Amino acid sequence: MPNPSSGSPTVAGHGPHAGLTAQLELTVGPGDTADSFRSGDVPVLATPRLVALCEEASCRATDGHLTDAQSSVATRVQFDHLAPVGVGSVVLAEATLVKVEGRRLTFTVSAARLEGDGGGLVGAGVLTRVVVDRSVFLAKAGAAGSP
C-alpha cells in the first residue's frame, strides 16, 4: 500500500516505511582514520568516516523504496562516537527507519565492533533524511545534469 504521507508516487507503491533497515561492514583501513580525515591526529576510525558509514546504511535501507526521480539527503545528524577503533578492526553499522513524516525520514543508527574484534558499541545516534526530487534538488544546488 502506498504511503499516503510521502507526497509523491513511489516504486511499485512501496514508499519508505518504518521498519526498513540495512547493515554495512567496514574493515578500518589507513584511509578511514582521524589523521587521514584531518579530524584528529591518531590512527583510529575517524568520527566523520563512522557517520558516513551510518549515512550509507540509511541510504541502503531505502533502496527500492524511492522512484528513480527521487533521492534522499541528510539534514540532521545527532551522533555519539563512544569508543576508538583501530586499523584492521571490523565495524558493523546499522540504520533503521523509525519514523516517516511526509518527506522526512528519521533513522536510528548504530555501529559496533564485531565480536571477533572485541565487540561493543562504537557509536549511536539519530539521522534525519528528506526525500527530494533529484532534478529540482540538483538545479537548486547549481549542479548541471543528472547523475
Side-chain angles (χ1 to χ4, degrees), residues 33-96:
T33 61
D35 49 359
S36 283
F37 270 76
R38 298 186 321 190
S39 64
D41 61 1
V42 289
V44 297
L45 180 61
T47 301
R49 180 62 179 101
L50 185 56
V51 170
L53 184 66
C54 290
E55 276 198 89
E56 185 181 355
S58 72
C59 290
R60 295 298 68 83
T62 59
D63 280 353
H65 295 275
L66 300 176
T67 68
D68 289 342
Q70 294 176 315
S71 186
S72 69
V73 295
T75 59
R76 185 170 191 190
V77 178
Q78 300 164 277
F79 193 81
D80 294 315
H81 192 162
L82 304 169
V85 178
V87 171
S89 293
V90 180
V91 174
L92 178 70
E94 180 173 26
T96 301

Side-chain angles (χ1 to χ4, degrees), residues 3 7 12 17 21-22 25-26 30 32-33 39 44 51-52 56 58 61 71 75-76 107 112 117 121 124 126 132 135:
N3 181 346
H17 57 276
T21 189
E25 279 187 22
L26 171 71
D32 300 313
T33 61
S39 64
V44 297
V51 170
E56 185 181 355
S58 72
S71 186
T75 59
R76 185 170 191 190
F107 295 84
D117 282 319
L121 190 63
V126 177
V132 297
S135 61

Side-chain angles (χ1 to χ4, degrees), residues 3 5-6 15-18 97-106:
N3 181 346
S5 64
S6 69
H17 57 276
L97 181 56
V98 294
K99 187 188 294 186
V100 178
E101 298 173 293
R103 297 182 310 125
R104 184 180 304 144
L105 310 176
T106 304

